[in-house]
């Protein structure tokens, strides 16, 4: 099994830190690796700086105790939109019927502010794509890849021993451990007590 190149995870962490410099209430990114193997159909974006800024909106909403989505996280409401605007994201006039205001894009001002960060992250993403494409002929990617679906899937809570948790698609966690920045131990999906009992 191939592991995530550490360069991309480090660049994601650095880009997140760059966002934190402008928005100090943004919590730390516990596991940059969790963003790498997962596309987000609700966001409509593959991994990019724009997607990272979108995720930062959710981080600030969580820090403020603001419920910014509904419908199991698919519909992004006007509270999401207000924070997105603070972070330099623009949006269509009308919400999408199923995902609301999730399809945000960088404003020209945000592009200027984050230009060095965007360039660094794009280089790291290109290198990651090249590195992961080289083993595709010999690697099993699972049914989502074979059938062309996004692989987004349902996120579940993964926990670590110190009590921190993240929401992650189980297939992403199965690709490689996601390590907790607080205690250094891997996140795991807890077993459900009584599962399989009829």
């Amino acid at each position: 099994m191939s592991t995530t190149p550490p360069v991309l995870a480090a660049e994601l962490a650095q880009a997140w830190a760059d966002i934190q410099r402008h928005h100090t209430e943004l919590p730390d990114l516990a596991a940059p690796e969790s963003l790498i193997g997962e596309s987000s159909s609700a966001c409509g974006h593959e991994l990019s700086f724009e997607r990272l800024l979108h995720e930062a909106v959710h981080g600030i909403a969580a820090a403020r105790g603001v419920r910014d989505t509904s419908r199991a996280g698919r519909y992004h409401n006007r509270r999401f939109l207000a924070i997105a605007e603070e972070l330099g994201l623009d949006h269509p006039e009308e919400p999408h019927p199923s995902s609301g205001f999730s399809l945000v894009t960088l404003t020209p001002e945000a592009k200027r502010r984050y230009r060095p960060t965007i360039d660094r992250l794009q280089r790291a993403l290109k290198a990651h794509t090249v590195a992961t494409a080289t083993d595709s002929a010999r690697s099993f990617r699972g049914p989502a890849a074979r059938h062309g679906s996004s692989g987004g899937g349902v996120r579940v809570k993964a926990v670590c021993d110190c009590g921190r948790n993240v929401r992650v698609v189980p297939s992403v966690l199965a690709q490689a451990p996601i390590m907790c920045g607080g205690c250094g131990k891997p996140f795991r999906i807890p077993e459900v007590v009584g599962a399989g009992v009829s």
Side-chain angles (χ1 to χ4, degrees), residues 56-160:
V57 173
H58 292 303
I60 288 177
R64 292 178 182 175
V66 171
R67 186 168 178 202
D68 62 341
T69 63
S70 59
R71 301 181 197 164
R74 288 185 306 274
Y75 192 88
H76 293 60
N77 60 34
R78 290 191 184 277
R79 290 181 293 271
F80 170 86
L81 182 58
I83 298 169
E85 288 173 346
E86 289 177 40
L87 269 70
L89 292 167
D90 202 0
H91 57 88
E93 284 293 317
E94 295 298 317
H96 185 276
S98 63
S99 62
F101 294 101
S102 67
L103 301 175
V104 289
T105 57
L106 285 167
T107 63
E109 179 184 327
K111 285 179 185 176
R112 282 189 298 277
R113 175 187 304 146
Y114 293 111
R115 174 54 53 204
T117 305
I118 292 168
D119 291 344
R120 267 194 344 263
L121 187 57
Q122 282 179 335
R123 283 192 301 274
L125 285 166
K126 283 180 186 173
H128 175 71
T129 300
V130 168
T132 56
T134 58
D135 72 348
S136 62
R138 297 181 45 82
S139 297
F140 178 69
R141 299 276 186 227
R146 287 197 314 273
H147 299 296
S149 73
S150 71
V154 176
R155 295 178 192 199
V156 297
K157 182 162 76 170
V159 298
C160 74

Side-chain angles (χ1 to χ4, degrees), residues 24-35:
T24 55
E25 67 185 309
L26 178 62
D28 291 340
L29 182 59
E33 303 85 1
S34 66
L35 296 172

Side-chain angles (χ1 to χ4, degrees), residues 11-76:
E11 285 298 337
L12 284 166
Q14 182 59 51
W16 192 265
D18 290 349
I19 298 168
Q20 283 178 312
R21 274 193 280 287
H22 296 281
H23 304 280
T24 55
E25 67 185 309
L26 178 62
D28 291 340
L29 182 59
E33 303 85 1
S34 66
L35 296 172
I36 295 170
E38 172 189 343
S39 64
S40 177
S41 57
C43 301
H45 299 298
E46 291 187 5
L47 188 54
S48 65
F49 182 76
E50 196 168 73
R51 162 93 186 284
L52 196 63
L53 204 55
H54 176 120
E55 295 300 331
V57 173
H58 292 303
I60 288 177
R64 292 178 182 175
V66 171
R67 186 168 178 202
D68 62 341
T69 63
S70 59
R71 301 181 197 164
R74 288 185 306 274
Y75 192 88
H76 293 60

